Amino acid sequence: MEIQHNISLKEYNTFHVDCKAKQFVSIETAADFLKLLQSREWVHYKERILFLWGGSNILLTSPTFDGLVVCNNILGKEIVTDHEHEVFIKAGAWEEWSSFVERAIDHGLYGIENLISIPGKVGAAPIQNIGAYGTEIGNAIVSVWGYNLETKEYETISHKECFFGYRDSIFKGIRKDEFFITDVTFRLQHFDPDTYAPISNYGSVAEELAKKGITKPTPRHMIDTITEIRAEKLPDRHKVGTWGSFFKNAVLTQEEFEDFTERVHRIKPDLTIEHYPINEEFIKIPTGRVLDHVLGYRGHREWNVGCREKQALCIVNYGWASGQEILHFARKIQKECHDKLGIAIEPEVNFIG
Ligand code: EPU
């Protein structure tokens, strides 16, 4: 374990924003981590530490990070406990998320197939409660194991204690910066063609399966189809910097929804925005559709930053955009949503300044 100085984080965040970390350390083993806790740098920067798990859900908003960046490279072996119908798998935080999903399917398991192609690492999945096409990872997480920086002990956080919500968990809330995730345990099912009931009714997935003439999809069909849809909609993150959806879908009260609908009709009289009641009080609306059809942001570009041509919700870094530039662009979109449509749209991405 070696602490390095003035290291560029460009390759450590999926938006490829250049930000120099004053101190940087890569942790390969749990022993490394314990060594780090004894170091001078740890004591010095205790209040200014950034844990990185692939940087797939952060925006570095400053050219420098005046603290200690801890890059979690703990791979960890998968430990499998097999039961009759289900399997518990404990995976290391640094495992590439998508290859973990692939391997699970190759081993005849299912439960997370709809989450293929989401960038990032296993350790970031519970923080963000990643979700796509009707599946949220929180439902498959049994527990999260890691180091509690307050108590200075390893600890298991059960599913219930994770407080999973829409792109949300306790790791973004009161346990933010307090818990260093090292492993995650998932509950997956053995594939049985007679009982397998995939979540395949999500619009674009159902359409694509129908086009291929697949009426009884297997987990392999699901990951192949979803990989294709995502490759078409979301950019190749090796070529342009991105995170996927930058903003969450908006959640409005009935009253806010009525006001919003009225304002939309004033701008676009013929447009209907689909909406999904969450409960009696709240309604979810697809922010991507609003940015595209109401505000015209799909394909809109300002210098190095823009909204993807095929998915307005996805902000991309076309070249050398700084974190500030991206933040400025995002704030502009938020302001326009607020001023013209009366809605507050929340970023899904976490800002690190
Ligand atoms: N739409 C447009 N124009 C656009 C974008 C979307 O008209 O530019 C419309 C679509 O046609 C569709 C609706 O808006 O009718 C919703 O779009 P989509 O199905 O693409 O899903 P989304 O709500 O934009 C969410 C997640 C994605 C996830 C997909 C599929 C959020 C913020 N995003 O996107 O998650 O992959 O559903 O389940 O919840 C992510 O979180 O990073 C992410 C990619």
Side-chain angles (χ1 to χ4, degrees):
M1 181 207 76
E2 186 201 347
I3 295 180
Q4 298 168 279
H5 313 281
N6 295 321
I7 296 294
S8 167
L9 298 178
K10 201 167 191 300
E11 296 310 318
Y12 294 92
N13 69 96
T14 59
F15 214 92
H16 305 317
V17 163
D18 199 7
C19 164
K20 288 222 166 35
K22 192 155 181 191
Q23 313 281 338
F24 178 93
V25 64
S26 170
I27 299 292
E28 315 285 333
T29 62
D32 271 356
F33 184 61
L34 294 178
K35 218 153 100 194
L36 174 70
L37 297 180
Q38 310 298 326
S39 69
R40 225 168 2 114
E41 285 82 357
W42 179 269
V43 177
H44 185 77
Y45 288 105
K46 223 164 51 204
E47 304 301 321
R48 193 102 180 99
I49 289 180
L50 170 65
F51 292 122
L52 273 188
W53 280 270
S56 59
N57 56 8
I58 55 163
L59 173 62
L60 298 157
T61 57
S62 304
T64 51
F65 180 78
D66 187 19
L68 172 65
V69 173
V70 182
C71 186
N72 186 352
N73 271 324
I74 302 175
L75 280 174
K77 259 217 198 107
E78 280 160 20
I79 300 169
V80 178
T81 325
D82 217 331
H83 302 281
E84 196 185 336
H85 298 294
E86 55 186 25
V87 170
F88 284 16
I89 300 185
K90 187 173 183 179
W94 193 252
E95 295 281 344
E96 196 67 51
W97 173 256
S98 249
S99 32
F100 173 67
V101 177
E102 252 325 313
R103 273 204 311 282
I105 303 309
D106 285 347
H107 283 85
L109 301 171
Y110 75 91
I112 50 175
E113 59 279 21
N114 289 17
L115 304 177
I116 190 80
S117 293
I118 295 186
K121 309 284 175 175
V122 163
I127 301 177
Q128 196 72 0
N129 188 13
I130 56 171
Y133 308 109
T135 303
E136 270 186 3
I137 195 55
N139 296 328
I141 289 179
V142 177
S143 60
V144 177
W145 167 253
Y147 189 82
N148 184 329
L149 301 166
E150 298 286 313
T151 63
K152 304 199 175 12
E153 278 176 9
Y154 276 95
E155 191 188 332
T156 301
I157 313 255
S158 69
H159 166 89
K160 205 168 156 212
E161 290 165 330
C162 289
F163 286 98
F164 290 118
Y166 169 51
R167 298 295 185 278
D168 201 18
S169 73
I170 198 149
F171 308 108
K172 283 176 94 171
I174 56 167
R175 304 208 75 162
K176 185 170 180 264
D177 301 331
E178 173 200 298
F179 197 72
F180 182 70
I181 299 173
T182 52
D183 305 277
V184 184
T185 303
F186 301 92
R187 178 193 282 112
L188 303 181
Q189 274 73 38
H190 284 292
F191 171 59
D192 172 347
D194 296 330
T195 55
Y196 178 57
I199 304 175
S200 55
N201 57 352
Y202 192 91
S204 49
V205 178
E207 258 170 48
E208 215 41 49
L209 288 169
K211 259 195 234 159
K212 294 180 180 177
I214 299 171
T215 49
K216 211 168 174 312
T218 61
R220 172 56 57 188
H221 288 135
M222 292 299 288
I223 63 168
D224 288 349
T225 305
I226 288 172
T227 303
E228 284 158 26
I229 297 172
R230 288 188 78 97
E232 168 69 17
K233 268 197 168 177
L234 302 169
D236 178 348
R237 68 203 151 87
H238 298 295
K239 293 192 185 134
V240 284
T242 186
W243 300 270
S245 302
F246 191 97
F247 298 106
K248 292 183 189 177
N249 285 328
V251 176
L252 310 181
T253 61
Q254 187 64 41
E255 205 179 316
E256 285 166 343
F257 179 69
E258 278 161 24
D259 174 58
F260 161 78
T261 315
E262 215 179 285
R263 291 183 193 226
V264 168
H265 282 164
R266 261 185 260 140
I267 302 172
K268 287 275 166 83
D270 299 327
L271 183 71
T272 34
I273 299 277
E274 70 256 57
H275 54 279
Y276 309 93
I278 301 176
N279 50 34
E280 281 184 5
E281 206 179 336
F282 295 107
I283 296 165
K284 195 186 258 190
I285 53 162
T287 305
R289 192 162 167 81
V290 176
L291 298 189
D292 176 3
H293 295 275
V294 187
L295 300 178
Y297 269 103
R298 185 162 57 81
H300 176 74
R301 179 172 171 175
E302 293 183 9
W303 298 96
N304 285 319
V305 194
C307 290
R308 178 150 165 85
E309 320 78 56
K310 289 179 180 158
Q311 169 57 283
L313 205 52
C314 176
I315 295 184
V316 284
N317 177 0
Y318 287 106
W320 298 91
S322 67
Q324 265 306 317
E325 245 177 294
I326 298 164
L327 182 64
H328 180 76
F329 184 72
R331 293 274 190 246
K332 181 179 161 188
I333 296 178
Q334 283 178 305
K335 187 170 183 319
E336 214 172 314
C337 283
H338 176 267
D339 295 352
K340 293 193 177 158
L341 305 172
I343 59 170
I345 56 165
E346 248 186 77
E348 197 183 297
V349 169
N350 305 298
F351 298 157
I352 312 285

